[in-house]
Amino acid sequence: MNETACYILDNGAYTAKVGLSSMAPKIVPNCIMKAKSERRRPFIGSQIEECRDASGLFYILPFQKGFLINWDTQKTVWDYTFSKECCPVNFNETPLIVTEPLFNFHSIQEAMTEIFFEEYECQSLLRINSTDLAEYHYRKVHKNECTVVVDSGYSFTYIVPYINGKKYKNGIRRIDVGGKVLTNHLKEILSYRQLNVMEEGYVINQVKEDSCFVSQDFMGDMEIARKKGSENTIVKDYVLPDYTTLRRGYLRDIVKPDEDLEQQTIRLNNERFSIPELLFHPSDVGVPQMGIPEAIIHSIDLCPEKHKESLLENIILYGGNALFPGFRDKVYNEVRAFALDHFDVNVSIADNPITYAWEGGKHFFRDPEFYSFCMTKEEYEEEGKALAFERFDI
Amino acid sequence: MTGDLEKTYCFKSENKFIVKSGCKKRMWRSLKQILAADRALPWPDDAVLYYSINAPPTFKPTKKYSDISGLPAPYMDRHSKLYYSNAEEFATVRNLPMDITAGYLQLRGASTIVG
């Protein structure tokens, strides 16, 4: 087989990263949205860009708690994604790499295999964890033995240690905090403290993306946030979009009392850094779990002694939450503080945290053994799902 | 797929995702049902599964923040169990109706009756 490109679908719970390996990936929201302004028309995936008024946007997500549950919705989004409108593909000629969450449930895996072979008539298919692709990417670049992959996504944060390219299952840990928890918490505290924004998940998600950062000195920043007037360098106003003159909100210095501004604003003070802090202290919202740095150390401690040094030297962060400014530094500082003094600690962050796994898929396709990991349609018709479970290590 | 192309596979069983029930509307199986079904599968004793990869509780104590302003809160109102950081906020806390205090507690996941 000598295909020149393969189709990679990194099917995340919030956005799917899709595209042929010969082109740049597209980021498609993995959901159907309904707007208050245009009740009749559902917006599938990237169609939301055509929506004039995204206030009161309602999401229909195929994923629930990080697992694919609603196949009707997913099928609609996939149909759109594979169509001419978005990112066309012919699965008869192109192999497909599709990602799944770690420890995906059996019934979901079965359905995945079935839908791609029977509905989309794929010629060859590879189902894989997105962390595997990320680890492959990292290993290609750094030529190292062991890696700790931290995938901080929409539903969960996964910490996965890899030893010589194989994931060490006993060391895998999941923290039940992801981007969704952060957005929802921001939405709730803003609604209690200032303005009711409970219906505005889409807008508040943008507020989070534009204004939150990870504090390096949490208590110090809290002291600054407590101050009044010009001494407080943290407090900012976020101008909310009104969808007539302004399509996306922005962060600005606080509005003076005598200033006349058309749009509504929200004042953000300690919210700016206390929201991403949840990734480091999930117990603040009643999730009785460790934060990311503590869980990294915990996970490495579960691995065999001789690999610890190599694991600590190769920690890679990716996923949407890695976009918060200061995320890497905070993880590094805390892991450094936890780890024994004579070990070196090295934490790196992906250049583009969102498409990191997708890019890994691109490298993986060029691997000479790529096809030995795939399953072909003939094999499926002959042996069925049992072979799929054997071959794909999910 | 067109009708004449339809093949039947011997390894295929019935659709596992649709709840069989009297009502006409198709219902997708919920996450809970999938979880229960997955748990019921015959797993070897040392298998690593969804349940076993939960991160354990933290060793660090939970920090306390004022429910009103988000600032570090050294005090707790014994009556409503809300945190507050200064006297001004205490006055506000005392004037809040029951449903709002319950909402605040829910917000930080502290709405359990115990404690």
Side-chain angles (χ1 to χ4, degrees):
Chain A
M1 279 184 260
N2 53 357
E3 284 91 356
T4 50
C6 77
Y7 196 80
I8 306 164
L9 169 63
D10 181 4
N11 199 35
Y14 183 61
T15 54
K17 281 68 75 179
V18 290
L20 286 165
S21 62
S22 51
M23 295 190 292
K26 269 189 187 173
I27 297 168
V28 181
N30 195 357
C31 55
I32 301 175
M33 287 168 269
K34 284 187 176 161
K36 276 200 174 129
S37 54
E38 286 166 86
R39 277 176 192 279
R40 295 248 177 82
R41 180 182 170 200
F43 296 92
I44 306 161
S46 326
Q47 284 175 351
I48 192 62
E49 283 157 26
E50 298 157 28
C51 177
R52 279 176 286 107
D53 183 351
S55 59
L57 206 65
F58 180 74
Y59 288 94
I60 306 165
L61 292 156
F63 277 75
Q64 245 181 48
K65 292 204 168 184
F67 290 95
L68 185 46
I69 296 296
N70 194 328
W71 292 87
D72 269 336
T73 318
Q74 184 64 86
K75 180 92 180 14
T76 319
V77 178
W78 276 343
D79 282 343
Y80 162 80
T81 317
F82 304 145
S83 73
K84 279 198 191 88
E85 211 182 328
C86 181
C87 210
V89 62
N90 183 356
F91 286 128
N92 270 324
E93 294 159 5
T94 326
L96 170 74
I97 301 180
V98 60
T99 66
E100 276 182 45
L102 283 153
F103 300 107
N104 204 358
F105 302 120
H106 260 224
S107 51
I108 302 178
Q109 289 191 42
E110 269 177 34
M112 282 286 254
T113 321
E114 188 177 314
I115 202 163
F116 279 110
F117 280 122
E118 294 179 26
E119 279 296 318
Y120 294 112
E121 307 201 319
C122 274
Q123 201 33 244
S124 40
L125 171 75
L126 171 65
R127 292 191 294 114
I128 196 164
N129 294 135
S130 60
T131 50
D132 289 354
L133 295 177
E135 191 268 344
Y136 190 85
H137 189 171
Y138 187 83
R139 189 151 45 94
K140 268 277 127 156
V141 177
H142 292 81
K143 315 259 182 277
N144 58 319
E145 278 175 16
C146 306
T147 321
V148 180
V149 180
V150 180
D151 172 3
S152 190
Y154 181 64
S155 320
F156 296 128
T157 299
Y158 282 107
I159 291 145
V160 191
Y162 284 83
I163 296 171
N164 299 323
K166 293 275 291 174
K167 54 177 170 274
Y168 186 72
K169 288 199 171 173
N170 288 318
I172 300 176
R173 283 295 174 264
R174 179 192 61 232
I175 304 170
D176 295 337
V177 176
K180 183 168 62 181
V181 172
L182 306 189
T183 303
N184 285 345
H185 191 64
L186 180 62
K187 196 165 75 178
E188 283 169 4
I189 58 176
L190 286 178
S191 301
Y192 267 99
R193 290 177 191 167
Q194 303 182 38
L195 179 71
N196 186 2
V197 286
M198 287 310 281
E199 308 282 296
E200 306 293 342
Y202 184 77
V203 177
I204 297 304
N205 194 39
Q206 292 181 339
V207 175
K208 180 191 79 175
E209 287 170 6
D210 293 345
S211 40
C212 285
F213 65 94
V214 177
S215 163
Q216 302 304 320
D217 170 19
F218 189 74
M219 281 306 161
D221 281 344
M222 268 295 187
E223 280 306 311
I224 298 174
R226 193 194 277 269
K227 288 176 184 155
K228 292 195 169 72
S230 60
E231 281 182 359
N232 188 341
T233 47
I234 288 170
V235 68
K236 295 268 182 204
D237 273 345
Y238 190 86
V239 182
L240 293 170
D242 58 3
Y243 293 105
T244 48
T245 52
L246 188 65
R247 232 192 106 72
R248 180 162 182 150
Y250 59 91
L251 199 67
R252 52 160 286 167
D253 290 334
I254 48 176
V255 184
K256 307 259 172 354
D258 53 345
E259 198 174 336
D260 194 26
L261 192 74
E262 256 175 63
Q263 286 92 9
Q264 268 186 310
T265 57
I266 288 184
R267 182 146 304 176
L268 298 163
N269 195 4
N270 57 41
E271 292 86 359
R272 287 187 63 204
F273 56 89
S274 65
I275 294 295
E277 189 70 13
L278 295 182
L279 292 165
F280 298 88
H281 299 282
S283 49
D284 291 351
V285 280
V287 177
Q289 288 186 327
M290 291 174 165
I292 292 177
E294 208 178 350
I296 292 176
I297 293 294
H298 175 79
S299 162
I300 292 176
D301 277 342
L302 293 165
C303 295
E305 191 70 40
K306 61 176 177 181
H307 296 297
K308 275 183 192 169
E309 197 174 348
S310 173
L311 286 165
L312 277 168
E313 278 170 17
N314 297 290
I315 300 172
I316 172 78
L317 312 168
Y318 82 102
N321 294 328
L323 288 169
F324 287 123
F327 185 71
R328 190 211 81 95
D329 295 341
K330 171 112 177 176
V331 173
Y332 172 78
N333 288 337
E334 292 208 1
V335 171
R336 180 65 272 181
F338 277 121
L340 291 177
D341 192 40
H342 61 277
F343 287 129
D344 281 336
V345 174
N346 190 9
V347 177
S348 46
I349 199 157
D351 304 331
N352 187 343
I354 294 192
T355 55
Y356 192 71
W358 189 94
E359 302 282 347
K362 205 162 116 179
H363 289 289
F364 194 58
F365 174 64
R366 293 202 208 106
D367 192 294
E369 285 178 42
F370 173 72
Y371 285 102
S372 71
F373 294 102
C374 290
M375 186 170 168
T376 61
K377 196 161 193 286
E378 287 74 37
E379 283 173 317
Y380 174 74
E381 277 163 7
E382 189 59 37
E383 310 219 19
K385 287 158 188 162
L387 184 73
F389 281 118
E390 229 169 82
R391 185 153 303 173
F392 302 128
D393 178 30
I394 300 289
Chain B
M1 255 191 187
T2 48
D4 54 333
L5 270 172
E6 199 89 49
K7 288 177 219 151
T8 48
Y9 298 94
C10 55
F11 52 79
K12 225 164 136 172
S13 54
E14 81 288 357
N15 191 331
K16 289 192 169 152
F17 284 93
I18 294 174
V19 178
K20 288 181 217 79
S21 64
C23 62
K24 270 180 197 151
K25 200 168 166 266
R26 283 203 307 177
M27 291 276 287
W28 294 98
R29 289 217 315 189
S30 71
L31 187 67
K32 261 191 186 157
Q33 287 168 304
I34 294 179
L35 265 168
D38 206 70
R39 195 166 222 174
L41 291 172
W43 293 103
D45 285 342
D46 57 345
V48 183
L49 296 172
Y50 176 78
Y51 323 95
S52 51
I53 63 165
N54 262 321
T58 175
F59 289 109
K60 294 186 207 160
T62 312
K63 285 184 222 152
K64 296 186 177 76
Y65 307 113
S66 160
D67 289 299
I68 312 292
S69 62
L71 294 168
Y75 318 111
M76 183 181 80
D77 175 25
R78 286 171 43 157
H79 185 67
S80 62
K81 303 274 189 288
L82 288 183
Y83 297 141
Y84 61 94
S85 66
N86 56 28
E88 221 173 296
E89 283 177 14
F90 180 64
T92 328
V93 166
R94 272 294 155 98
N95 286 327
L96 289 175
M98 275 290 279
D99 56 327
I100 304 283
T101 57
Y104 271 123
L105 289 175
Q106 174 103 42
L107 204 60
R108 72 175 139 92
S111 51
T112 44
I113 316 105
V114 195

